[in-house]
């Protein structure tokens, strides 16, 4: 399917307008198991897919999924190719200047995964090895920040190719999501690799365009209600395999209200 060019900021959209058109166009990742992926029957599955479908159901509309990557997700939103994002996207102050985050709905640790025989116990050890990372993700600048200056870093276009780089021996270790371990286990080669250490927390938020106040209010309310009734906890346990952590509703330098 051809991709329309991004020509500039799109007009704000409201829940009422989405209901009127009968479809919610939602940006999701489709190559990031278990957050969003395409199964063997060519159907979209994953934590974010279930969350997005729940939102569409509340709106009474059909969910239309648009594949996003670390490189195109913000341009896709700002340019109007999607109505909003359910993107497993790390919340950062820099991104919050461009898009409007809703309160966190998900989280995962930023982790170093590596070959079992690689002696990596902390950031100082990274300089002795070749380390892979997803370019355009929040993992890349963090790796550059914490790794010794001489560290050999190889950058890949998405999470799937980053993990594959480790499995194929192109790199000795990778920095990224704690859920990379689920991907590695799925290949049947889990005994050859291990989680080395946690580098940082990673809070994730859905996003709308700046000025989409009604859509923001809807998503903030959705996250609050579905946290209170346990729905998001159940989905997180189902897909991530661990308990969903208690998530903050405020963060320094990030406005979740859209009113500051």
């Amino acid at each position: 399917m051809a991709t329309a060019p991004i020509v500039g900021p799109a007009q704000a959209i409201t829940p009422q307008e989405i209901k009127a058109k009968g479809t919610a166009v939602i940006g999701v990742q489709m190559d990031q198991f278990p957050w969003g992926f395409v199964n063997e029957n060519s159907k979209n599955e994953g934590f974010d897919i279930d969350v997005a479908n729940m939102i569409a159901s509340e709106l009474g509309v059909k969910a239309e999924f648009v594949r996003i990557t670390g490189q195109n997700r913000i341009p896709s939103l700002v340019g109007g190719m999607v109505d909003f994002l359910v993107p497993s996207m790390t919340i950062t102050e820099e991104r919050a200047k461009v898009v409007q985050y809703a309160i966190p709905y998900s989280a995962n640790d930023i982790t170093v995964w590596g070959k079992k025989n690689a002696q990596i116990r902390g950031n100082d050890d990274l300089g002795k090895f070749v380390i892979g990372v997803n370019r355009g993700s929040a993992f890349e600048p963090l790796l550059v920040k914490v790794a010794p200056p001489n560290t050999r870093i190889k950058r890949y276009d998405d999470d799937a190719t980053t993990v594959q780089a480790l499995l194929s021996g192109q790199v000795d270790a990778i920095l990224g999501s704690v859920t990379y371990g689920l991907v590695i286990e799925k290949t049947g080669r889990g005994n050859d690799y291990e989680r080395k250490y946690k580098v940082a927390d990673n809070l994730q938020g859905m996003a709308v365009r700046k000025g989409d106040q009604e859509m923001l209010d809807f998503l903030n309310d959705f996250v609050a209600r579905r946290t209170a009734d346990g729905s998001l906890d159940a989905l997180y346990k189902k897909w991530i395999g661990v308990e969903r952590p208690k998530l903050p509703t405020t963060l320094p330098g990030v406005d979740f209200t859209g009113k500051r």
Side-chain angles (χ1 to χ4, degrees), residues 19-195:
K19 291 176 182 179
K21 67 178 181 171
T23 303
V25 183
I26 308 171
V28 295
Q29 298 203 59
M30 298 181 188
D31 57 3
Q32 193 178 17
F33 177 87
W35 307 102
F37 62 99
V38 179
N39 67 18
E40 60 273 13
N41 298 316
S42 299
K43 300 293 186 181
N44 294 313
E45 278 195 313
F47 175 77
D48 285 340
I49 301 298
D50 281 356
V51 171
N53 276 323
M54 190 183 298
I55 294 169
S57 178
E58 284 202 8
L59 290 168
V61 301
K62 177 184 177 182
E64 177 184 326
F65 297 120
V66 173
R67 180 183 184 273
I68 58 169
T69 66
Q71 290 76 46
N72 74 7
R73 57 192 170 192
I74 289 178
S76 294
L77 176 64
V78 174
M81 293 176 63
V82 299
D83 294 328
F84 56 91
L85 299 176
V86 183
S88 291
M89 181 167 64
T90 301
I91 298 170
T92 69
E93 289 187 49
E94 195 64 27
R95 288 174 179 165
K97 297 174 183 176
V98 183
V99 300
Q100 175 63 59
Y101 282 112
I103 58 175
Y105 74 111
S106 183
N108 71 71
D109 296 342
I110 299 178
T111 300
V112 170
W113 292 90
K115 300 174 183 176
K116 280 198 172 177
N117 61 2
Q119 298 299 308
I120 303 175
R121 299 182 179 86
N123 295 333
D124 291 343
D125 296 324
L126 297 177
K128 306 169 188 174
F129 299 92
V130 180
I131 312 298
V133 69
N134 176 357
R135 70 162 58 91
S137 69
F139 309 138
E140 182 183 9
L142 178 63
L143 176 59
V144 172
K145 179 180 177 181
V146 303
N150 65 321
T151 303
R152 289 168 292 169
I153 298 174
K154 288 191 175 182
R155 295 165 172 84
Y156 299 91
D157 288 337
D158 52 41
D159 291 297
T161 53
T162 302
V163 174
Q164 185 56 39
L166 176 64
L167 298 176
S168 64
Q170 299 175 55
V171 297
D172 301 304
I174 54 178
L175 182 144
S177 168
V178 68
T179 56
Y180 283 3
L182 296 174
V183 181
I184 294 169
E185 284 291 337
K186 200 174 180 183
T187 69
R189 299 177 59 189
N191 290 334
D192 299 329
Y193 303 90
E194 65 183 5
R195 182 184 182 186

Side-chain angles (χ1 to χ4, degrees), residues 222-240:
F222 170 86
V223 174
R225 285 186 293 101
R226 292 305 189 174
T227 294
D229 71 10
S231 298
L232 290 177
D233 292 337
L235 288 179
Y236 195 88
K237 181 71 173 180
K238 169 188 173 182
W239 288 109
I240 314 305

